Amino acid sequence: DGGITQSPKYLFRKEGQNVTLSCEQNLNHDAMYWYRQDPGQGLRLIYYSQIVNDFQKGDIAEGYSVSREKKESFPLTVTSAQKNPTAFYLCASTENTEAFFGQGTRLTVV
Amino acid sequence: DQQVKQNSPSLSVQEGRISILNCDYTNSMFDYFLWYKKYPAEGPTFLISISSIKDKNEDGRFTVFLNKSAKHLSLHIVPSQPGDSAVYFCAASWGTSYGKLTFGQGTILTVHP
């Protein structure tokens, strides 16, 4: 089955620790994206990558980092510099005009 | 600055009736608009889209209308079904960066049997 896999579904971390969220796709899409959703808000773009070894900051990139060493993988690291990391994180990829989303990772920082 | 706005946080509709979800945008560069449906703790799933060269697009029970002069779009669901109950997000993009979407805040639709 083709799709986007995010793992884990739920993640707990202590304040001050870096944490990496996984996103893998087997759709052969070039472009991949990371969004963040907070209660009562729409999804906001963190980082995106339109091709391997290249990525750009989105609207809320501060405190996050990404890499794109392989076409299939676009991991997101939430660093200790992110002031409010608790949120629902969504990874997406695009084919033509449609964006496909993973199931999301709920990150809770305690 | 919220470039895409969904001003109704929630909408309640009787099964079989029409659901109308509204969305306004401010950036006239947007040329492609999408509607996504989302259940709690899941990723959004694509519903329907419309290019700025059209004013209407239909797909089964779902129709999206675009009024470029008013910078307004709406999603009509006819007839509404209880399974349609979810959060609906309006999103917009421009150029060829189709995944670089600007989302509205979402509208919670509840369809009562």
Side-chain angles (χ1 to χ4, degrees):
Chain A
D1 262 87
I4 300 175
T5 302
Q6 290 186 243
S7 60
K9 194 167 176 65
Y10 299 97
L11 190 54
F12 295 87
R13 277 295 180 269
K14 289 185 179 178
E15 199 170 332
Q17 287 183 334
N18 290 0
V19 60
T20 297
L21 282 60
S22 168
C23 178
E24 303 279 330
Q25 55 105 353
N26 59 3
L27 300 167
N28 201 35
H29 292 168
D30 286 315
M32 296 184 74
Y33 306 79
W34 274 105
Y35 287 87
R36 168 183 171 139
Q37 186 190 11
D38 294 283
Q41 294 195 39
L43 284 66
R44 292 181 291 167
L45 182 64
I46 304 172
Y47 264 99
Y48 64 103
S49 167
Q50 295 186 306
I51 199 164
V52 175
N53 293 322
D54 187 46
F55 49 82
Q56 284 82 40
K57 293 181 180 180
D59 301 318
I60 54 165
E62 186 176 347
Y64 299 98
S65 66
V66 293
S67 63
R68 188 83 187 279
E69 296 174 3
K70 298 187 299 182
K71 188 175 187 178
E72 305 78 27
S73 179
F74 190 39
L76 173 75
T77 297
V78 184
T79 75
S80 55
Q82 168 48 233
K83 291 182 175 29
N84 188 15
T86 294
F88 189 56
Y89 290 87
L90 285 157
C91 179
S93 67
T94 52
E95 178 182 60
N96 297 322
T97 57
E98 188 176 331
F100 298 85
F101 285 85
Q103 292 298 293
T105 293
R106 168 74 61 189
L107 173 64
T108 303
V109 175
V110 295
Chain B
D1 176 33
Q2 190 87 26
Q3 296 187 62
V4 177
K5 292 183 186 179
Q6 293 175 255
N7 291 317
S8 298
S10 62
L11 175 68
S12 184
V13 169
Q14 204 69 29
E15 181 178 7
R17 303 272 186 155
I18 185 171
S19 295
I20 300 177
L21 296 98
N22 294 302
C23 179
D24 296 296
Y25 63 95
T26 56
N27 188 342
S28 38
M29 296 289 289
F30 289 140
D31 58 9
Y32 198 73
F33 304 89
L34 309 91
W35 284 94
Y36 282 85
K37 176 180 178 180
K38 185 181 180 302
Y39 295 111
E42 292 186 10
T45 53
F46 171 76
L47 267 179
I48 192 168
S49 61
I50 187 166
S51 162
S52 60
I53 62 173
K54 293 186 173 182
D55 54 21
K56 178 182 173 182
N57 189 26
E58 264 183 279
D59 184 1
R61 297 186 298 115
F62 302 93
T63 303
V64 57
F65 295 92
L66 175 63
N67 182 335
K68 287 187 290 294
S69 60
K71 294 192 177 71
H72 177 83
L73 65 155
S74 61
L75 174 68
H76 292 210
I77 306 174
V78 184
S80 302
Q81 299 173 354
D84 295 330
S85 298
V87 180
Y88 288 78
F89 287 99
C90 165
S93 68
W94 63 276
T96 54
S97 293
Y98 295 111
K100 197 167 173 256
L101 298 167
T102 301
F103 282 85
Q105 308 95 308
T107 296
I108 302 170
L109 173 66
T110 305
V111 180
H112 298 283

